[in-house]
Amino acid sequence: MEAQLNPKERLKVLDGNRAAAYGVMLCKPNVVCVYPITPQTQILESLYEFRARGLLDAEMIEPESEHSSMSTLRGASAAGARTFTATAAQGLMFMYESCINVATMRLPVVMVIVCREITAPHGVTAGEQDAMMARDMGWIQMHVESCQEILDSIIMAYKLAESPDILIPAAVCYDGYFLSHLWERVFIPSSDVVAEFLPSLEMTHLVDPGVPMTICPYLPPGGGTEYRYKHSAALERAKGKLETIDKEFERVFGRGYGGQIEEYRCKDAEIVLVTMGSCTGTARVVIDQKRDAGVKVGLIKVRMFRPFPSERLARALAGKRAIGVIDRNMCFGCNQGTLSVDLKAAMYESKTFTPVVNFIGGLCGADITMDHIDRAVDRITMVAEGHSSDGVIWFDLE
Amino acid sequence: MKKMSPSEAPWADGTKLFIIDTGEWRYQRPTTKKDKCCRCGNCYLFCPVGCIEWRSNYVAANLEYCKGCGVCASVCPVNAIRMVREDGSSTEP
């Protein structure tokens, strides 16, 4: 993980939101349309600052709501613009209709979701419920661990979304406060290198008065099935595409993130903890400590949540004795977290049966601590040894 | 795999008409008795999809678009139009 300063990079201390804004600036969007909402607002403030300083040459549109911001980008993207927006929690929920429309019209909009708990109880606290509930919108979703990964993933998200064989909007998601307000050292690549890595957008379908197009026409019943099939197939292609983009990114910038998932000390592991988002950093430290104590435990970070990396997870987890999954959300009605539900479905592909323990933590602004993860690893070990355990453990209610 | 569109998404060439044969939706069709038709044009005026066409000495629906609503039959003053089920069964009660 120790990164070296590339001579063409600058080193700055940034919080997650400002790292996101730098990432967006480097990708040179043509249209930016963001409605402010905690904990995302610094992205908007920073982008306006960049524009005032002449660093960002984008059309900045002030919408009256999140629904309007995504609707605006739908038009802009259909006209061939590279676009950006950011939101969180209630704002994302207000945006749903336009989000699904953008995805099914196959417009490569890029959005940042700064994950925030939804009400009730009232509050502007951290939690991943907002992004998890948006998993079926037909978007690509990437969840990241550090401020550096936020910046890097935004660049990768544009490249992935705009690939001519993909054309699917992408959301880069990170934990509110735990990353959005965490200050870390961040390497900022030079804009020349980014421009080479991410060429300007060439849309094949444009809103152009010279070449009239019918966009999103009425179709008779059954007529849309073909487009659902093509959309789903493109999402499947996006898995391999991210692996390729990640490798190319590593070659150019010196930092790679493993593609769809990152496997940490997994090769010889007997038990594996699966995480997503900012708690992965905490988990790394605990895994190292447990390894020092002789526990053969590994860690998998799910980086691409949609499309879900079923094949890679099934491959990496086949033959393990027990798996633990940390969820910062609830899949209501399934009595477990969403990542747990999806991971269990993915394990069907491995044709093995491995017990899975789900840990629910970090809801409504709660922290996921080293102590939580330490006890989680103990419990996974216990299950691997054949002892019985509840399938779902609530960190804060133990 | 059965496919009908060259596009990845619901996009279409705007220079061509995007036509849907709504006639496929129909469960009953209007049949015109040519010798009874008085060519008053009532059905032409009332047809909600505008699919009534003037033939040599009578008027009749274009069945590629006619949805089979039966308005033409009900406004015909000389009962020249009768609705017939697509499956051949009678529409009479």
Side-chain angles (χ1 to χ4, degrees):
Chain A
M1 284 296 284
E2 277 304 307
Q4 295 297 314
L5 183 59
N6 182 316
K8 284 186 173 169
E9 294 192 328
R10 283 183 298 148
L11 181 59
K12 264 185 176 296
V13 175
L14 298 173
D15 67 2
N17 284 339
R18 285 171 177 84
Y22 269 95
V24 173
M25 179 189 74
L26 289 168
C27 294
K28 297 189 173 69
N30 307 107
V31 177
V32 172
C33 189
V34 189
Y35 191 81
I37 186 170
T38 303
Q40 161 273 112
T41 308
Q42 290 89 11
I43 300 178
L44 176 60
E45 290 170 354
S46 300
L47 289 175
Y48 269 94
E49 189 195 320
F50 291 153
R51 185 163 173 269
R53 284 163 54 196
L55 299 169
L56 176 64
D57 179 25
E59 182 98 22
M60 310 278 280
I61 299 168
E62 292 172 28
E64 75 276 25
S65 71
E66 286 86 355
H67 189 280
S68 298
S69 70
M70 188 52 73
S71 300
T72 300
L73 296 190
R74 176 177 54 175
S77 185
R82 178 172 287 165
T83 56
F84 176 77
T85 193
T87 193
Q90 324 298 122
L92 176 61
M93 290 189 276
F94 189 27
M95 206 187 254
Y96 273 4
E97 187 199 2
S98 317
C99 282
I100 294 169
N101 205 288
V102 160
T104 48
M105 282 169 70
R106 304 286 296 280
L107 302 170
V109 171
V110 168
M111 161 163 75
V112 158
I113 301 173
V114 185
C115 298
R116 186 186 115 182
E117 196 60 79
I118 55 173
T119 56
H122 195 68
V124 285
T125 55
E128 289 169 2
Q129 192 75 27
D130 53 356
M132 295 290 101
M133 293 201 318
R135 68 178 181 164
D136 298 335
M137 294 197 311
W139 281 58
I140 290 163
Q141 261 195 33
M142 287 155 72
H143 288 252
V144 304
E145 178 189 348
S146 67
C147 295
Q148 182 71 62
E149 196 183 353
I150 293 173
L151 187 151
D152 293 345
S153 296
I154 288 172
I155 299 169
M156 284 190 241
Y158 273 108
K159 196 168 174 78
L160 179 59
E162 293 173 0
S163 298
D165 56 338
I166 305 291
L167 290 179
I168 292 176
V172 174
C173 314
Y174 53 88
D175 289 313
Y177 312 103
F178 292 103
L179 278 186
S180 68
H181 290 60
L182 172 77
W183 291 81
E184 286 186 320
R185 63 173 192 174
V186 176
F187 296 105
I188 302 169
S190 87
S191 59
D192 301 347
V193 184
V194 174
E196 206 173 305
F197 178 79
L198 179 73
S200 54
L201 173 61
E202 296 290 341
M203 286 279 282
T204 48
H205 296 98
L206 304 178
V207 174
D208 177 358
V211 188
M213 296 282 299
T214 305
I215 299 168
C216 197
Y218 170 83
L219 283 178
T225 310
E226 175 184 338
Y227 298 116
R228 291 288 180 275
Y229 170 82
K230 286 174 170 172
H231 190 156
S232 189
L235 276 165
E236 288 304 300
R237 289 196 293 275
K239 296 179 184 179
K241 184 64 93 176
L242 179 64
E243 304 281 342
T244 313
I245 290 173
D246 197 272
K247 283 196 182 80
E248 190 187 338
F249 192 93
E250 187 170 10
R251 216 166 37 243
V252 176
F253 299 96
R255 291 180 296 275
Y257 298 92
Q260 304 168 67
I261 63 172
E262 188 203 330
E263 297 170 53
Y264 182 69
R265 306 187 80 160
C266 271
K267 279 252 154 54
D268 63 332
E270 290 174 355
I271 59 170
V272 175
L273 183 66
V274 181
T275 60
M276 209 161 70
S278 63
C279 76
T280 309
T282 315
R284 273 178 211 280
V285 181
V286 178
I287 298 298
D288 286 345
Q289 288 176 355
K290 288 290 190 187
R291 278 280 181 173
D292 291 344
V295 182
K296 285 198 161 179
V297 58
L299 174 71
I300 288 182
K301 172 172 80 171
V302 174
R303 186 158 175 264
M304 188 182 227
F305 177 64
R306 277 293 178 275
F308 197 68
S310 306
E311 298 80 5
R312 275 202 63 188
L313 281 170
R315 254 201 324 275
L317 292 169
K320 304 300 180 196
R321 291 175 64 200
I323 304 164
V325 185
I326 297 181
D327 262 298
R328 200 169 212 141
N329 69 90
M330 247 333 256
C331 185
F332 287 120
C334 288
N335 195 30
Q336 58 192 305
T338 311
L339 182 57
S340 169
V341 172
D342 286 351
L343 181 118
K344 284 173 184 171
M347 287 307 288
Y348 181 78
E349 301 291 328
S350 75
K351 297 180 176 62
T352 61
F353 177 80
T354 314
V356 175
V357 190
N358 185 207
F359 301 92
I360 304 289
L363 304 185
C364 303
D367 203 356
I368 296 175
T369 64
M370 285 175 65
D371 183 49
H372 285 142
I373 297 173
D374 189 88
R375 278 185 284 138
V377 174
D378 288 347
R379 187 173 287 267
I380 305 165
T381 308
M382 200 180 85
V383 170
E385 285 164 357
H387 299 285
S388 69
S389 162
D390 287 344
V392 183
I393 307 294
W394 297 66
F395 278 155
D396 297 311
L397 305 181
E398 266 188 297
Chain B
M1 182 68 63
K2 193 172 76 179
K3 284 186 192 164
M4 60 177 187
S5 164
S7 308
E8 266 292 292
W11 307 87
D13 183 344
T15 59
K16 293 177 193 149
L17 270 178
F18 193 72
I19 294 167
I20 295 160
D21 295 340
T22 48
E24 288 178 6
W25 303 3
R26 190 178 57 235
Y27 82 98
Q28 59 174 5
R29 65 169 68 194
T31 55
T32 307
K33 286 204 177 85
K34 296 174 197 173
D35 52 343
K36 261 190 149 182
C37 174
C38 61
R39 301 185 294 283
C40 65
N42 260 11
C43 54
Y44 178 88
L45 291 173
F46 281 92
C47 175
V49 294
C51 73
I52 304 292
E53 293 172 350
W54 293 84
R55 307 277 165 85
S56 53
N57 60 346
Y58 66 103
V59 278
N62 180 335
L63 293 176
E64 279 183 28
Y65 303 109
C66 169
K67 298 190 184 96
C69 68
V71 167
C72 55
S74 69
V75 299
C76 179
V78 295
N79 291 324
I81 304 173
R82 186 169 157 262
M83 300 305 290
V84 178
R85 294 250 169 120
E86 291 291 335
D87 64 4
S89 63
S90 169
T91 54
E92 307 302 328

Coordinates of all heavy atoms in Angstrom, one line a residue, chain A residues 33-94:
Chain A
C33 N -23.7 19.5 -12.1 CA -25.0 20.0 -11.6 C -25.2 19.3 -10.3 O -25.5 18.1 -10.3 CB -26.1 19.7 -12.6 SG -27.6 20.4 -12.2
V34 N -24.9 20.0 -9.2 CA -25.0 19.3 -7.9 C -25.9 20.1 -7.0 O -25.8 21.4 -6.9 CB -23.5 19.3 -7.2 CG1 -23.6 18.4 -6.0 CG2 -22.5 18.7 -8.2
Y35 N -26.7 19.4 -6.2 CA -27.5 20.1 -5.2 C -26.9 19.8 -3.9 O -26.6 18.6 -3.6 CB -29.0 19.6 -5.2 CG -29.9 20.4 -4.4 CD1 -30.4 21.6 -4.8 CD2 -30.2 19.9 -3.1 CE1 -31.3 22.3 -4.0 CE2 -31.1 20.7 -2.3 CZ -31.6 21.9 -2.8 OH -32.4 22.6 -2.0
P36 N -26.7 20.8 -3.0 CA -25.9 20.5 -1.8 C -26.7 19.7 -0.8 O -27.9 19.8 -0.6 CB -25.7 22.0 -1.2 CG -26.7 22.8 -1.8 CD -27.0 22.2 -3.2
I37 N -26.0 18.8 -0.1 CA -26.5 18.0 1.0 C -25.4 17.5 1.8 O -24.3 17.0 1.3 CB -27.4 16.8 0.5 CG1 -28.1 16.1 1.6 CG2 -26.6 15.8 -0.3 CD1 -29.2 15.2 1.2
T38 N -25.5 17.5 3.1 CA -24.6 16.9 4.0 C -24.5 15.4 3.9 O -25.6 14.8 3.7 CB -24.9 17.3 5.5 OG1 -25.0 18.7 5.6 CG2 -23.9 16.7 6.5
P39 N -23.4 14.8 3.9 CA -22.0 15.3 4.1 C -21.2 15.4 2.8 O -20.1 15.2 2.7 CB -21.4 14.1 4.9 CG -22.1 12.9 4.5 CD -23.5 13.3 3.9
Q40 N -21.9 15.9 1.7 CA -21.3 16.0 0.4 C -20.9 17.4 0.0 O -20.2 17.6 -1.0 CB -22.3 15.3 -0.6 CG -22.2 15.6 -2.1 CD -22.9 16.9 -2.5 OE1 -22.2 17.8 -2.9 NE2 -24.2 16.9 -2.4
T41 N -21.4 18.4 0.7 CA -21.4 19.8 0.2 C -20.0 20.3 -0.2 O -19.9 21.1 -1.1 CB -22.1 20.7 1.2 OG1 -23.4 20.1 1.4 CG2 -22.3 22.1 0.6
Q42 N -19.0 19.8 0.6 CA -17.6 20.4 0.2 C -17.2 20.1 -1.2 O -16.4 20.8 -1.8 CB -16.6 19.8 1.2 CG -16.6 20.3 2.6 CD -17.6 19.5 3.4 OE1 -18.0 18.4 3.0 NE2 -17.9 19.9 4.6
I43 N -17.7 19.0 -1.8 CA -17.4 18.7 -3.2 C -17.9 19.8 -4.0 O -17.1 20.4 -4.9 CB -18.1 17.4 -3.6 CG1 -17.7 16.2 -2.8 CG2 -17.8 17.1 -5.1 CD1 -18.3 14.9 -3.1
L44 N -19.1 20.2 -3.8 CA -19.7 21.3 -4.6 C -18.9 22.6 -4.4 O -18.6 23.3 -5.3 CB -21.2 21.5 -4.1 CG -22.0 22.6 -4.7 CD1 -22.1 22.5 -6.2 CD2 -23.4 22.6 -4.1
E45 N -18.6 22.9 -3.1 CA -17.9 24.1 -2.8 C -16.5 24.1 -3.5 O -16.1 25.2 -4.0 CB -17.7 24.3 -1.3 CG -19.0 24.5 -0.5 CD -18.8 24.4 1.0 OE1 -17.8 24.0 1.5 OE2 -19.8 24.7 1.7
S46 N -15.8 23.0 -3.4 CA -14.5 22.9 -4.0 C -14.6 23.1 -5.5 O -13.7 23.8 -6.1 CB -13.8 21.6 -3.7 OG -13.7 21.5 -2.3
L47 N -15.6 22.5 -6.1 CA -15.7 22.6 -7.6 C -15.9 24.0 -8.0 O -15.4 24.5 -9.0 CB -16.8 21.6 -8.1 CG -16.4 20.1 -8.0 CD1 -17.6 19.3 -8.5 CD2 -15.2 19.8 -8.9
Y48 N -16.8 24.7 -7.3 CA -17.0 26.2 -7.6 C -15.7 27.0 -7.4 O -15.4 27.9 -8.2 CB -18.1 26.7 -6.7 CG -19.5 26.6 -7.4 CD1 -20.3 25.5 -7.1 CD2 -19.9 27.5 -8.3 CE1 -21.5 25.3 -7.8 CE2 -21.1 27.4 -9.0 CZ -21.9 26.3 -8.7 OH -23.1 26.1 -9.4
E49 N -14.9 26.6 -6.3 CA -13.7 27.3 -6.1 C -12.7 27.1 -7.3 O -12.1 28.0 -7.8 CB -13.1 26.8 -4.8 CG -11.9 27.6 -4.3 CD -11.1 26.8 -3.3 OE1 -11.7 26.2 -2.4 OE2 -9.8 26.8 -3.3
F50 N -12.7 25.8 -7.7 CA -11.8 25.5 -8.9 C -12.2 26.3 -10.1 O -11.4 26.8 -10.9 CB -11.9 24.0 -9.2 CG -11.2 23.1 -8.2 CD1 -11.7 21.8 -8.0 CD2 -10.2 23.5 -7.4 CE1 -11.1 20.9 -7.1 CE2 -9.7 22.7 -6.4 CZ -10.1 21.4 -6.3
R51 N -13.5 26.4 -10.3 CA -14.0 27.1 -11.5 C -13.6 28.6 -11.3 O -13.2 29.2 -12.3 CB -15.5 27.0 -11.6 CG -16.0 27.6 -12.9 CD -17.4 27.1 -13.1 NE -18.0 27.8 -14.3 CZ -18.8 28.9 -14.1 NH1 -19.0 29.4 -12.9 NH2 -19.3 29.5 -15.1
A52 N -13.8 29.2 -10.1 CA -13.5 30.6 -9.9 C -12.0 30.8 -10.1 O -11.6 31.9 -10.6 CB -13.8 31.0 -8.5
R53 N -11.2 29.8 -9.8 CA -9.7 30.0 -10.0 C -9.3 29.6 -11.4 O -8.1 29.6 -11.7 CB -9.0 29.1 -9.0 CG -9.0 29.7 -7.6 CD -8.6 28.6 -6.5 NE -7.3 28.0 -6.8 CZ -6.9 26.9 -6.2 NH1 -7.7 26.3 -5.3 NH2 -5.8 26.3 -6.5
G54 N -10.2 29.3 -12.3 CA -9.9 29.0 -13.7 C -9.3 27.6 -13.9 O -8.7 27.3 -14.9
L55 N -9.5 26.7 -12.9 CA -8.9 25.4 -13.0 C -9.9 24.4 -13.6 O -9.6 23.3 -14.0 CB -8.5 24.8 -11.6 CG -7.4 25.6 -10.9 CD1 -7.3 25.2 -9.4 CD2 -6.1 25.5 -11.6
L56 N -11.2 24.8 -13.6 CA -12.3 23.9 -14.1 C -13.1 24.6 -15.1 O -13.7 25.6 -14.8 CB -13.1 23.4 -12.9 CG -14.3 22.5 -13.3 CD1 -13.9 21.2 -13.9 CD2 -15.2 22.3 -12.0
D57 N -13.1 24.2 -16.3 CA -13.8 24.8 -17.4 C -15.1 24.0 -17.6 O -15.2 23.3 -18.6 CB -13.0 24.9 -18.7 CG -13.7 25.6 -19.8 OD1 -14.6 26.4 -19.5 OD2 -13.4 25.3 -21.0
A58 N -16.1 24.2 -16.7 CA -17.3 23.4 -16.8 C -18.5 24.3 -16.7 O -18.4 25.4 -16.1 CB -17.4 22.3 -15.8
E59 N -19.6 23.9 -17.4 CA -20.9 24.6 -17.2 C -21.4 24.2 -15.8 O -21.6 23.0 -15.6 CB -21.8 24.2 -18.3 CG -23.2 24.8 -18.2 CD -23.3 26.0 -19.2 OE1 -22.5 26.0 -20.2 OE2 -24.1 26.8 -19.0
M60 N -21.6 25.1 -14.9 CA -22.0 24.8 -13.5 C -23.5 25.2 -13.5 O -23.8 26.4 -13.5 CB -21.2 25.5 -12.5 CG -19.7 25.4 -12.6 SD -19.0 23.8 -12.0 CE -19.0 24.2 -10.2
I61 N -24.4 24.2 -13.3 CA -25.8 24.5 -13.2 C -26.3 24.4 -11.8 O -26.0 23.4 -11.2 CB -26.6 23.6 -14.2 CG1 -26.1 23.9 -15.7 CG2 -28.1 23.9 -14.1 CD1 -26.5 22.9 -16.7
E62 N -27.0 25.4 -11.3 CA -27.6 25.3 -10.0 C -29.0 24.8 -10.0 O -29.9 25.5 -10.4 CB -27.5 26.6 -9.3 CG -26.1 27.1 -9.0 CD -26.0 28.5 -8.5 OE1 -27.0 29.0 -7.9 OE2 -24.9 29.2 -8.7
P63 N -29.3 23.5 -9.7 CA -30.6 23.0 -9.7 C -31.4 23.3 -8.5 O -30.8 23.7 -7.5 CB -30.4 21.5 -9.9 CG -29.1 21.3 -9.0 CD -28.3 22.5 -9.1
E64 N -32.7 23.1 -8.5 CA -33.5 23.3 -7.3 C -33.7 22.1 -6.5 O -34.4 22.1 -5.5 CB -34.9 24.0 -7.7 CG -35.9 23.0 -8.3 CD -35.7 22.8 -9.8 OE1 -34.6 23.0 -10.3 OE2 -36.7 22.5 -10.5
S65 N -33.2 20.9 -7.0 CA -33.4 19.7 -6.2 C -32.5 18.6 -6.8 O -31.9 18.8 -7.9 CB -34.8 19.2 -6.3 OG -35.1 18.7 -7.6
E66 N -32.3 17.5 -6.1 CA -31.5 16.4 -6.7 C -32.2 15.8 -7.9 O -31.6 15.3 -8.8 CB -31.4 15.3 -5.6 CG -30.4 15.7 -4.5 CD -31.0 16.5 -3.4 OE1 -32.2 16.9 -3.5 OE2 -30.3 16.8 -2.4
H67 N -33.5 15.8 -7.9 CA -34.3 15.2 -9.0 C -33.9 16.0 -10.3 O -33.7 15.5 -11.4 CB -35.8 15.3 -8.7 CG -36.6 14.6 -9.8 ND1 -36.9 15.1 -11.0 CD2 -37.2 13.3 -9.8 CE1 -37.7 14.3 -11.7 NE2 -37.8 13.2 -11.0
S68 N -33.8 17.3 -10.1 CA -33.5 18.2 -11.2 C -32.0 18.1 -11.6 O -31.7 18.1 -12.8 CB -33.7 19.7 -10.9 OG -35.1 19.8 -10.6
S69 N -31.1 17.8 -10.6 CA -29.7 17.7 -11.0 C -29.5 16.5 -11.9 O -28.8 16.6 -12.9 CB -28.8 17.7 -9.7 OG -29.0 16.5 -9.0
M70 N -30.1 15.4 -11.5 CA -29.9 14.2 -12.4 C -30.6 14.4 -13.7 O -30.1 13.9 -14.7 CB -30.3 12.9 -11.6 CG -30.0 11.6 -12.3 SD -28.3 11.4 -12.8 CE -27.5 11.1 -11.2
S71 N -31.8 15.0 -13.7 CA -32.5 15.2 -14.9 C -31.7 16.1 -15.9 O -31.7 15.9 -17.1 CB -33.9 15.8 -14.7 OG -34.6 15.0 -13.8
T72 N -31.0 17.1 -15.3 CA -30.2 18.0 -16.1 C -29.1 17.3 -16.7 O -28.8 17.4 -17.9 CB -29.6 19.1 -15.2 OG1 -30.7 19.8 -14.6 CG2 -28.8 20.1 -16.0
L73 N -28.5 16.4 -16.0 CA -27.3 15.6 -16.5 C -27.8 14.6 -17.5 O -27.0 14.3 -18.5 CB -26.6 14.9 -15.4 CG -25.9 15.8 -14.3 CD1 -25.0 15.0 -13.4 CD2 -25.1 16.9 -15.0
R74 N -29.0 14.2 -17.4 CA -29.5 13.2 -18.4 C -29.5 13.9 -19.8 O -29.0 13.4 -20.8 CB -31.0 12.8 -18.1 CG -31.6 12.0 -19.1 CD -33.0 11.5 -18.7 NE -33.8 12.7 -18.3 CZ -35.1 12.6 -18.0 NH1 -35.7 11.4 -18.0 NH2 -35.8 13.7 -17.7
G75 N -30.0 15.2 -19.8 CA -30.0 15.9 -21.1 C -28.6 16.2 -21.6 O -28.2 16.0 -22.7
A76 N -27.7 16.6 -20.6 CA -26.4 17.0 -21.0 C -25.6 15.8 -21.5 O -24.9 15.9 -22.5 CB -25.7 17.6 -19.7
S77 N -25.8 14.7 -20.8 CA -25.1 13.5 -21.2 C -25.5 13.0 -22.6 O -24.7 12.6 -23.4 CB -25.2 12.4 -20.2 OG -24.4 11.3 -20.5
A78 N -26.8 13.1 -22.8 CA -27.4 12.7 -24.1 C -26.9 13.6 -25.2 O -26.8 13.2 -26.4 CB -28.9 12.7 -24.1
A79 N -26.5 14.8 -24.9 CA -25.9 15.7 -25.9 C -24.4 15.5 -26.0 O -23.7 16.3 -26.7 CB -26.3 17.2 -25.5
G80 N -23.9 14.6 -25.3 CA -22.4 14.3 -25.4 C -21.5 14.8 -24.4 O -20.3 14.8 -24.6
A81 N -22.1 15.4 -23.4 CA -21.2 16.1 -22.3 C -20.7 15.0 -21.4 O -21.4 14.1 -21.1 CB -22.0 17.2 -21.6
R82 N -19.5 15.3 -20.8 CA -19.0 14.5 -19.7 C -19.6 15.2 -18.5 O -19.5 16.5 -18.3 CB -17.5 14.5 -19.6 CG -17.0 13.8 -18.4 CD -15.5 13.6 -18.4 NE -15.1 12.6 -19.4 CZ -13.9 12.5 -19.9 NH1 -12.9 13.3 -19.5 NH2 -13.6 11.6 -20.8
T83 N -20.3 14.5 -17.6 CA -21.1 15.1 -16.5 C -20.7 14.6 -15.1 O -20.2 13.5 -15.0 CB -22.6 14.8 -16.7 OG1 -22.8 13.4 -16.8 CG2 -23.1 15.4 -18.0
F84 N -21.1 15.4 -14.1 CA -20.8 15.0 -12.7 C -21.9 15.6 -11.8 O -22.4 16.7 -12.0 CB -19.4 15.5 -12.3 CG -19.2 15.2 -10.8 CD1 -18.8 13.9 -10.4 CD2 -19.4 16.2 -9.8 CE1 -18.6 13.6 -9.1 CE2 -19.2 15.8 -8.5 CZ -18.8 14.5 -8.1
T85 N -22.3 14.7 -10.8 CA -23.1 15.2 -9.7 C -22.7 14.4 -8.5 O -21.9 13.4 -8.6 CB -24.6 15.1 -10.0 OG1 -25.3 15.8 -9.0 CG2 -25.1 13.6 -9.9
A86 N -23.1 14.9 -7.3 CA -22.9 14.2 -6.1 C -24.1 14.3 -5.2 O -24.8 15.3 -5.3 CB -21.6 14.8 -5.4
T87 N -24.3 13.3 -4.3 CA -25.5 13.4 -3.4 C -25.3 12.5 -2.2 O -24.2 11.8 -2.1 CB -26.8 13.2 -4.2 OG1 -27.9 13.6 -3.3 CG2 -27.0 11.7 -4.5
A88 N -26.3 12.4 -1.4 CA -26.3 11.5 -0.3 C -27.7 11.3 0.2 O -28.6 12.1 0.0 CB -25.5 12.1 0.9
A89 N -27.9 10.1 0.9 CA -29.1 9.8 1.6 C -30.4 10.3 1.0 O -30.8 9.8 -0.1 CB -29.0 10.4 3.0
Q90 N -31.2 11.2 1.6 CA -32.5 11.6 1.2 C -32.4 12.2 -0.3 O -33.3 12.1 -1.0 CB -33.1 12.7 2.1 CG -32.8 12.5 3.6 CD -33.4 11.3 4.2 OE1 -32.6 10.5 4.7 NE2 -34.6 11.0 4.0
G91 N -31.3 12.9 -0.5 CA -31.1 13.4 -1.9 C -31.0 12.4 -2.9 O -31.6 12.5 -4.0
L92 N -30.3 11.2 -2.6 CA -30.3 10.1 -3.6 C -31.7 9.5 -3.8 O -32.0 9.2 -4.9 CB -29.3 9.1 -3.1 CG -29.2 7.8 -3.9 CD1 -28.7 8.1 -5.3 CD2 -28.2 6.8 -3.3
M93 N -32.4 9.4 -2.7 CA -33.7 8.8 -2.8 C -34.7 9.7 -3.6 O -35.5 9.2 -4.4 CB -34.3 8.6 -1.4 CG -33.6 7.5 -0.7 SD -34.5 7.0 0.8 CE -33.8 8.3 1.9
F94 N -34.5 11.1 -3.5 CA -35.3 12.0 -4.3 C -34.9 11.9 -5.8 O -35.6 12.3 -6.7 CB -35.1 13.4 -3.8 CG -36.0 14.4 -4.3 CD1 -37.2 14.1 -4.8 CD2 -35.6 15.8 -4.4 CE1 -38.1 15.1 -5.4 CE2 -36.4 16.7 -4.9 CZ -37.7 16.4 -5.4

